Amino acid sequence: GLCGLVRRFGYPFEIFQAANGKQAVQLLGHTEVDVLITDIRMPFMDGMQLCEAVSHTMPWVQIVILSGYDDFAYAQQAISLGVKEYLLKPVSAQELAPVYLRISQAERERNARLLLAEIEKDISEMFVDAAAVYDQNDKALQLRTMNLIYESVKEKGGLVIAPSAFGEAFNNIEGFLKP
């Protein structure tokens, strides 16, 4: 089956299985996942209901539907629920490989956006702190603060981009580390 195909081709996924949609919702309640691969026909809760539940509660999860139904109405509903891929069974390795690449690329982009948001938040907080220090007119404290900001941003692989109010402070503080 699909799990065997994923394992055989060495895709770096930790795989969790559920026998039906209801069990999948329970599993997702305590397991963080990035990708959900589901069938449409399942007992207790069908794949569309599962997709709807996941898209509302875990919008970052990329959903792939495997279906034996070549029905435009199902595909249309899947699109409205944010499903990324709709594959017809049986799925071959040749069909799964490009899906894996698209999902991996989307996940890398999402992680990059999250990291950038975190860096921007950290920098913003540092500049707020630096503004308070700068207002104290203590040159040694200003220097230490600006160096800490620079080192912190450099550690995260970012660039030091200062608002114009701080641009002068960066340039005028004697002894400030410069790249």
Side-chain angles (χ1 to χ4, degrees), residues 24-108:
V25 167
Q26 291 169 344
L27 179 68
L28 292 169
H30 60 81
T31 306
E32 189 171 322
V33 301
D34 298 315
V35 179
L36 169 68
I37 301 175
T38 184
D39 199 339
I40 289 180
R41 289 266 176 150
M42 296 184 293
F44 306 113
M45 173 187 273
D46 71 25
M48 291 301 183
Q49 291 168 321
L50 176 59
C51 291
E52 186 171 6
V54 169
S55 67
H56 291 330
T57 59
M58 303 169 76
W60 66 88
V61 173
Q62 297 184 71
I63 303 171
V64 177
I65 290 181
L66 300 179
S67 176
Y69 300 99
D70 187 8
D71 185 334
F72 183 68
Y74 280 125
Q76 207 171 17
Q77 184 181 4
I79 289 168
S80 74
L81 295 172
V83 171
K84 300 295 181 203
E85 302 282 342
Y86 188 98
L87 302 172
L88 294 176
K89 291 185 207 176
V91 177
S92 68
Q94 290 79 16
E95 292 171 298
L96 194 57
V99 170
Y100 167 73
L101 292 174
R102 286 189 294 271
I103 286 173
S104 296
Q105 179 63 32
E107 190 61 21
R108 280 192 299 277

Side-chain angles (χ1 to χ4, degrees), residues 5 15 22 26 29 33 64 80 96-97 100 102-103 113 116 127 134 137 139-140 142 150 158-159 162 168 170-171:
L5 188 63
I15 300 170
K22 187 176 177 181
Q26 291 169 344
V33 301
V64 177
S80 74
L96 194 57
Y100 167 73
R102 286 189 294 271
I103 286 173
R113 283 190 305 274
L116 181 59
F127 277 117
Y134 196 76
N137 209 17
K139 294 291 183 194
Q142 290 171 7
Y150 173 78
L159 300 172
E168 191 174 314
F170 276 101
N171 291 327

Side-chain angles (χ1 to χ4, degrees), residues 14 24-25 32 42 51 58 90-91 97 110 114 119-120 142 153 155 163-164 179:
E14 185 175 356
V25 167
E32 189 171 322
M42 296 184 293
C51 291
M58 303 169 76
V91 177
R110 183 179 80 86
L114 291 172
I119 289 171
E120 287 173 346
Q142 290 171 7
V153 172
E155 271 179 32
S164 59

